[in-house]
Amino acid sequence: MSWLAKLYETYEAGVHLDLPEDKKLMPISHTLQNAHINIVIDEHGNFKRANVLEKTKIVLPATESSAGRSSGEAPHSLADKIQYVAKDYPAYGGKKKSYFNSYENQLAEWCRSKYAHKKAVAVHRYISKGQVIEDLVSAGVLFLDESKGLLNFWPHKEEKEHPVPLIFKVLPAVPKEKRIQPDRTEVEPGDALVSWTVELAGELDSTTWNDSSLHQSWIEYDAQSAQKLGVCCIIGDEKPLSINHPAKLRHTGDKAKLLSANDSAGFTYRGRFTDSLQAAGISFEVSQKAHNALRWLISRQGQKGDQIFVAWAVSGKPIPSPLEDSRTLMKDLSEPLLIEDDEEEIQQPMIDHGRDLGESFAQQFNKYLAGYSGQFELNDQIVVMGLDSATPGRMGIVYYRELLGSEFFRRLEEWHTQFAWFQRYSVAVPSKAGKKPAQKTVWPVSAPVPRNIADAAYGDILKSNSTLRKNIMERIVPCIVDGRPFPHDILHLAVKRASNRNSCEHWEWERNLGITCALFRGFYRRHSNPAKRRNYSMNLDESCNSRDYLYGRLLAIAERIEEVALRVGGENRSTNAARLMQRFADRPFSTWRTIRLSLQPYMQRLQGSRGGFLTNRKKELDAVTSSFENEEFTLDKPLTGEFLLGYHCQRMCYRNTEIEKTDETTTQLEESK
């Protein structure tokens, strides 16, 4: 129950934060819903007008049962669906069961209590007249068919002459198996949620969902109507206990619950107790605040899907997301390490590959983290929590960690510096007026984002296997938050896919290559065997005599020679080095002979036009070949992922560095002679 206690503490801290109105924590005894219709009345309950709402979420008063309802009869206290608020819904052929009586009785009890609110009283006066559907039809919000029944589909096909009314666009479509005619789109008007606006003299905002005094009125009324008292396991006091815990944590249609018990009916959880409250009593207040805090945290971090990971400081202080890449986190820094992929024009200042780029990046990332960690006290806690649902009605905690702020920032710094590498991104470049923004490729130093790691290792198989993606995420998150070694099987698959250059589009392969190099570097920084740990440099390491690293350099040099020769000849096709990359990884020595012999005609083409460039590349080939130790060059055993590091470092050295300028100067001198 530690997670409940931390969420409860987060709520208590979050309500005191200075946030915009739409970013504040939701009050207890309320829930979040998508509203479809807004009815405007006056203080006497007289109908004035109505309109359809598009993509409008409102905070509405709710009971413990209605906040967690997934089916059955459980009315909200004010705003609710038409099948609840419209007394005349059955008279107009409503297909769903009418729950007006329970809705009206509950609202009447609130209005008769000492906690009554004038807007709630006005709504009760209006719905008691029993003409909600009649007024909505006269206002052009709902429509009737020839038999005076509610129209659940738009019969006109000519959209220009008969535009589809908005209500048919905002309501969710009825599933095919429940439609009268499966081939047409149908909606259920009874599912439209009605919100209320009560126009009172002297009030600027007449909406009920933004009225804090109405919210407080309902909270006080709902608190005194608790049914059972008991000791709350979270705060240790005797409080009204929660029987039905909230749902709608990830989105407004989410029916999965973290806390649930139905021992009174299906005996699903029958064990040592005759009552679920005997196992663990959670007070209504704690349950509401904890679930509201979790819902607030999820909405702030903008994640979607069944699997959700949230990280937060219990004090409410801002923290960086552990699941973002370094580039996204450091986007506001003034000196990002970028290399632009632009053959014709280089505007980026030259990057000195003689310096330690890893050390430079680590200094920048530490500077970034210092802006957060400086705000934390020694005992400030940070929580990382993962949620997932195996069924539509049940949700579980798949990952949970509590860390001190200093520990969290240290783990984050280790991940982003140990797994840093040049990563490929496309960014929009401003263009002249009237033209679309151009796309430019940049290579910032960054740790990869987990979802891209999964794509780099498994590729298209993840599109049809969401369970596999979830399992990968559950294995990567501990590497970030707990500092665990990276899984070798995921690294192995990433190396295989990065070596198979022809299996995907060029941009995707370049992305996978950068990710794989980052994973390989980080894997050996954290190797479980200390004797095998190694700190690979992001620079081109010309002193490295490892067989795999040197073979990777040879492949990059051969590819560069052929690329330039093809460009000089006006050809646009893949190089032999690119086509044979996978074979080269499996049998490097025999494949290198094929690649080396195929370079001869391209070298002859460059001899006249790019002599300086060719001379420098030949020197590099000789230097790398002579660096092999003993008989390692002639071995034909498969290469490890280390060859990708040598290959990528050599390629990156050709981008935006002094070496290209030197080649051009040498060529110009030779041409002048």
Side-chain angles (χ1 to χ4, degrees), residues 539-554:
N539 308 60
L540 177 62
D541 188 358
E542 296 181 349
S543 64
C544 181
N545 294 329
S546 167
R547 166 183 175 267
D548 296 0
Y549 193 89
L550 292 173
Y551 260 124
R553 290 188 62 191
L554 286 178

Side-chain angles (χ1 to χ4, degrees), residues 334-543:
S334 58
E335 299 178 357
L337 289 174
L338 296 179
I339 290 184
E340 297 193 10
D341 186 10
D342 193 335
E343 296 288 352
E344 298 179 359
E345 182 179 1
I346 299 176
Q347 300 175 350
Q348 180 85 2
M350 294 299 176
I351 292 179
D352 181 8
H353 280 260
R355 67 188 176 113
D356 188 349
L357 295 180
E359 183 66 27
S360 301
F361 173 78
Q363 292 175 0
Q364 285 198 343
F365 196 78
N366 285 334
K367 184 194 303 183
Y368 164 77
L369 288 182
Y372 285 97
S373 59
Q375 305 176 34
F376 279 71
E377 304 294 336
L378 289 177
N379 59 346
D380 279 348
Q381 284 191 312
I382 292 175
V383 180
V384 183
M385 186 175 181
L387 306 171
D388 196 9
S389 55
T391 65
R394 296 287 182 267
M395 187 188 304
I397 299 175
V398 297
Y399 182 83
Y400 184 79
R401 291 293 183 276
E402 294 178 14
L403 307 95
L404 291 175
S406 58
E407 185 180 13
F408 173 79
F409 290 118
R410 178 174 58 82
R411 298 273 175 82
L412 203 59
E413 183 268 335
E414 289 174 352
W415 167 262
H416 283 272
T417 54
Q418 294 175 0
F419 287 79
W421 199 264
F422 292 107
Q423 303 295 328
R424 184 191 191 280
Y425 291 92
S426 292
V427 297
V429 179
S431 57
K432 296 180 180 179
K435 294 185 178 180
K436 293 183 179 179
Q439 292 292 318
K440 198 168 192 177
T441 301
V442 295
W443 291 86
V445 175
S446 175
V449 68
R451 60 179 176 273
N452 287 345
I453 294 176
D455 291 330
Y458 288 89
D460 292 340
I461 191 174
L462 296 178
K463 294 180 180 178
S464 58
N465 194 337
S466 60
T467 302
L468 178 60
R469 182 182 290 276
K470 292 179 181 180
N471 291 338
I472 297 170
M473 292 293 293
E474 291 176 20
R475 297 179 65 194
I476 294 177
V477 169
C479 300
I480 303 173
V481 180
D482 299 334
R484 294 183 186 177
F486 193 82
H488 183 267
D489 59 313
I490 298 179
L491 171 64
H492 177 71
L493 290 172
V495 170
K496 297 292 288 185
R497 290 199 75 236
S499 302
N500 187 8
R501 189 165 178 170
N502 301 317
S503 65
C504 52
E505 296 184 34
H506 180 71
W507 69 267
E508 185 179 0
W509 169 78
E510 284 195 325
R511 183 202 65 181
N512 294 345
L513 178 62
I515 291 173
T516 304
C517 289
L519 298 183
F520 192 89
R521 179 173 183 258
F523 177 84
Y524 278 93
R525 284 288 297 274
R526 297 184 178 184
H527 201 288
S528 56
N529 184 354
K532 294 184 178 181
R533 290 176 186 169
R534 182 173 178 181
N535 184 14
Y536 287 100
S537 173
M538 284 185 284
N539 308 60
L540 177 62
D541 188 358
E542 296 181 349
S543 64

Side-chain angles (χ1 to χ4, degrees), residues 147-203:
S147 60
K148 302 298 181 182
L150 285 170
L151 198 62
N152 64 348
F153 71 97
W154 191 240
H156 305 288
K157 296 183 179 180
E158 300 81 6
E159 190 168 340
K160 291 184 179 180
E161 298 180 7
H162 303 280
V164 179
L166 191 55
I167 190 65
F168 293 101
K169 297 179 180 179
V170 300
L171 284 177
V174 175
K176 283 187 177 182
E177 62 273 13
K178 295 184 179 181
R179 297 176 189 172
I180 299 175
Q181 294 185 17
D183 58 339
R184 73 185 181 194
T185 302
E186 297 180 3
V187 298
E188 174 48 57
D191 285 335
L193 191 135
V194 177
S195 61
W196 305 101
T197 295
V198 182
E199 294 185 341
L200 302 175
E203 287 199 8

Side-chain angles (χ1 to χ4, degrees), residues 62 72 87 316 323 341 405 455 498 616 658:
K87 186 177 182 179
L323 299 187
D341 186 10
D455 291 330
N616 288 334
E658 292 291 348

Side-chain angles (χ1 to χ4, degrees), residues 570-630:
E571 299 182 53
N572 183 20
R573 59 174 176 82
S574 299
T575 63
N576 289 310
R579 293 199 300 269
L580 297 175
M581 188 172 185
Q582 185 178 21
R583 179 179 157 191
F584 181 83
D586 295 333
R587 298 184 297 277
F589 177 66
S590 57
T591 308
W592 173 247
R593 292 182 58 191
T594 303
I595 295 174
R596 184 68 178 83
L597 291 174
S598 68
L599 285 179
Q600 293 304 321
Y602 300 108
M603 289 183 173
Q604 293 175 4
R605 179 185 297 178
L606 293 173
Q607 192 64 50
S609 60
R610 298 290 297 273
F613 167 84
L614 181 60
T615 300
N616 288 334
R617 299 294 81 74
K618 285 182 176 180
K619 289 179 180 179
E620 286 178 346
L621 286 174
D622 294 340
V624 174
T625 304
S626 63
S627 297
F628 282 89
E629 296 180 358
N630 302 325

Side-chain angles (χ1 to χ4, degrees), residues 128-405:
S128 299
K129 298 177 181 179
Q131 57 185 50
V132 172
I133 299 295
E134 178 184 343
D135 290 337
L136 290 177
V137 171
S138 63
V141 172
L142 297 180
F143 299 85
L144 304 178
D145 55 23
E146 296 178 353
S147 60
K148 302 298 181 182
L150 285 170
L151 198 62
N152 64 348
F153 71 97
W154 191 240
H156 305 288
K157 296 183 179 180
E158 300 81 6
E159 190 168 340
K160 291 184 179 180
E161 298 180 7
H162 303 280
V164 179
L166 191 55
I167 190 65
F168 293 101
K169 297 179 180 179
V170 300
L171 284 177
V174 175
K176 283 187 177 182
E177 62 273 13
K178 295 184 179 181
R179 297 176 189 172
I180 299 175
Q181 294 185 17
D183 58 339
R184 73 185 181 194
T185 302
E186 297 180 3
V187 298
E188 174 48 57
D191 285 335
L193 191 135
V194 177
S195 61
W196 305 101
T197 295
V198 182
E199 294 185 341
L200 302 175
E203 287 199 8
L204 296 178
D205 190 352
S206 301
T207 59
T208 56
W209 59 90
N210 290 324
D211 192 333
S212 57
S213 64
L214 185 143
H215 294 165
Q216 188 59 36
S217 168
W218 170 253
I219 291 172
E220 293 174 357
Y221 171 76
D222 194 38
Q224 58 86 36
S225 60
Q227 297 180 353
K228 189 169 184 178
L229 293 176
V231 177
C232 175
C233 293
I234 303 302
I235 58 178
D237 294 337
E238 189 175 51
K239 294 279 187 177
L241 297 182
S242 181
I243 307 297
N244 194 345
H245 299 276
K248 301 181 177 68
L249 294 175
R250 294 168 295 189
H251 50 81
T252 56
D254 188 11
K255 297 181 180 180
K257 295 184 180 183
L258 273 172
L259 294 176
S260 179
N262 62 350
D263 261 355
S264 60
F267 303 112
T268 304
Y269 304 105
R270 177 70 73 193
R272 295 176 180 270
F273 308 103
T274 59
D275 188 336
S276 61
L277 294 178
Q278 295 175 357
I282 309 298
S283 70
F284 174 78
E285 178 187 4
V286 168
S287 177
Q288 287 279 316
K289 289 184 176 180
H291 283 85
N292 283 357
L294 182 56
R295 188 184 295 116
W296 175 68
L297 291 167
I298 292 173
S299 65
R300 290 181 75 191
Q301 300 187 19
Q303 295 188 49
K304 297 180 180 180
D306 291 338
Q307 188 185 61
I308 296 291
F309 287 91
V310 288
W312 76 93
V314 177
S315 62
K317 296 173 183 176
I319 64 169
S321 170
L323 299 187
E324 290 290 352
D325 55 13
S326 314
R327 173 178 177 265
T328 302
L329 294 178
M330 297 196 300
K331 61 184 177 181
D332 295 328
L333 287 186
S334 58
E335 299 178 357
L337 289 174
L338 296 179
I339 290 184
E340 297 193 10
D341 186 10
D342 193 335
E343 296 288 352
E344 298 179 359
E345 182 179 1
I346 299 176
Q347 300 175 350
Q348 180 85 2
M350 294 299 176
I351 292 179
D352 181 8
H353 280 260
R355 67 188 176 113
D356 188 349
L357 295 180
E359 183 66 27
S360 301
F361 173 78
Q363 292 175 0
Q364 285 198 343
F365 196 78
N366 285 334
K367 184 194 303 183
Y368 164 77
L369 288 182
Y372 285 97
S373 59
Q375 305 176 34
F376 279 71
E377 304 294 336
L378 289 177
N379 59 346
D380 279 348
Q381 284 191 312
I382 292 175
V383 180
V384 183
M385 186 175 181
L387 306 171
D388 196 9
S389 55
T391 65
R394 296 287 182 267
M395 187 188 304
I397 299 175
V398 297
Y399 182 83
Y400 184 79
R401 291 293 183 276
E402 294 178 14
L403 307 95
L404 291 175

